[in-house]
Amino acid sequence: MPDVMLRFDMRQPEIAKTSQADLYQAAIEMCAWGDNNNIGSVHLSEHHGSPDGYCPSPLVLASAIATRTKSMRIFISALIAPLHDPVRLAEDLAVLDIISRGRVIPVVSGGYREEEFIAVGKDLSVRKKYMDDIGPFLKKAWSGEAFEYEGRAITITPKPFSQPRPMILMGGSSKAAARRAARDSDFFIPSGPEIFEYYREALKALGKPDPGPMPSAPSTVTFVSKDPDAYWEIIAPHVLHETNMYADWAEKAQVFSPYKHFDSSDDLRSSRAYKVYRPQELIDAARDMVGAQPIMFHPLCGGIHPDLAWSSLHLFMDEVMPILREEGVA
C-alpha cells in the first residue's frame, strides 16, 4: 500500500516564471491542502549557495509548514548536520518538535558538496567526527539534563515535545555511515540497498532487531494530467534542470546519486524518473506498487509554476485518490 507524499527543495532556475516568494507561499499552501486531504508526509531538503536558490533553511520552512498542518509528518531529508552548530541544531529541532507536536523528523546526513563547507568556514574532513558525535550529542541534549561538551557544561532547553525524544534518522552511502546509523539512530536511509545490508549486519552485531531487506521500490516523481504530452512539454525544462544539477553535483564530488544527467527531455522521459500519468494510469500503477513504493509529488520541481502544479494535485485528489482509498490502495 503506497504512501502519498509531497517534496519541496524550492529551486528557482532562470526558466521559472514565478517569484521565490510565490513558490514558498505555494509550498506552504500545498502542505496545508495535503494535510486536510490526509497526505501523510512532506520531505524538505537542504543545500547552500546554489545559483537556483535551493532552500538553505529547511528548518525555517518546516516551522511555517508545522503551523499550517496538524497531522502531516515533516521530514528534513536531508539535514546537512556538519554545517550547523550542534548546540543550536539541538535547540532548533527541540523548538520545531514542540511547534509540530512531534511531527518533524530529521534525516541527519554528512553532506558532500565542498562549496557548502567552505562557505561556513569548514573543511569536508570535519564530517566524520561530527557525524560520529551528533547522535549521542542530540540524545544527551534532549534529555533536559546538564552534560559536558567540549569542556563546557551545557543544558539544552526547552525539552522537546516527543518522549523520550524526537526520532533521529541518518542517511549515508558508506559502510561507516551504516555502522554509525545502527549505533546512534532510529533508522537508516542509504543511497542504495547494498549499503542497507551493512546496516542490518551492524544492527545484528549490536543485538538490535533486524528490519529485514531494504525494499526495492523505485521512486518516481509523479504528476497527473489529462493530457500528459502537453503537461510534459511544459515541465520538461524544469525536471531536466533538477536531475542534471543533482547529477553534476554528485559527479563533481564523486559520490553515488540516483540522479542521472540527460542530454534531452525525451531521454529523461523515457527513463521514467519523472512520470506524467493520466488519472486512470496512476490508479492502475498504484494497484501494482509494492508496499514501500511511494506516490511522490514534487509539484514545484525546478520552479514549475504553482498554477500548473495545483492542476496536477487537484486532478489527483478529485479523480485518483477517492478510488485508491475506496480500494484500500493508498
Side-chain angles (χ1 to χ4, degrees), residues 27-150:
I28 295 166
E29 295 295 338
M30 287 172 182
C31 289
W33 168 88
D35 190 64
N36 289 335
N37 285 283
N38 297 314
I39 290 179
S41 64
V42 60
H43 298 249
L44 310 177
S45 303
E46 173 184 9
H47 277 296
H48 299 257
S50 179
D52 58 10
Y54 199 118
C55 180
S57 300
L59 301 184
V60 174
L61 180 56
S63 183
I65 291 169
T67 64
R68 296 291 308 278
T69 55
K70 294 181 179 179
S71 60
M72 177 180 280
R73 290 164 294 158
I74 305 169
F75 287 81
I76 313 298
S77 178
L79 173 62
I80 308 174
L83 301 179
H84 299 263
D85 175 83
V87 174
R88 288 303 308 272
L89 183 62
E91 292 172 337
D92 288 346
L93 287 172
V95 171
L96 258 178
D97 191 68
I98 294 167
I99 292 171
S100 68
R101 294 180 180 267
R103 293 183 290 116
V104 173
I105 302 171
V107 182
V108 181
S109 175
Y112 62 91
R113 295 185 66 229
E114 186 175 20
E115 302 94 322
E116 298 179 331
F117 285 76
I118 292 173
V120 297
K122 294 183 178 181
D123 187 88
L124 280 172
S125 62
V126 305
R127 290 180 300 174
K128 183 183 184 306
K129 184 178 188 308
Y130 187 104
M131 291 299 294
D132 285 343
D133 292 346
I134 192 61
F137 177 88
L138 290 175
K139 291 173 185 178
K140 290 178 183 177
W142 290 334
S143 71
E145 302 295 327
F147 66 103
E148 186 173 297
Y149 173 68
E150 295 184 344

Side-chain angles (χ1 to χ4, degrees), residues 2-38:
D3 287 333
V4 182
M5 59 183 64
L6 299 172
R7 177 171 177 257
F8 297 102
D9 61 20
M10 310 315 300
R11 291 184 186 270
Q12 188 213 22
E14 291 182 359
I15 55 174
K17 294 181 171 59
T18 189
S19 70
Q20 200 88 64
D22 286 344
L23 288 173
Y24 272 84
Q25 189 62 46
I28 295 166
E29 295 295 338
M30 287 172 182
C31 289
W33 168 88
D35 190 64
N36 289 335
N37 285 283
N38 297 314

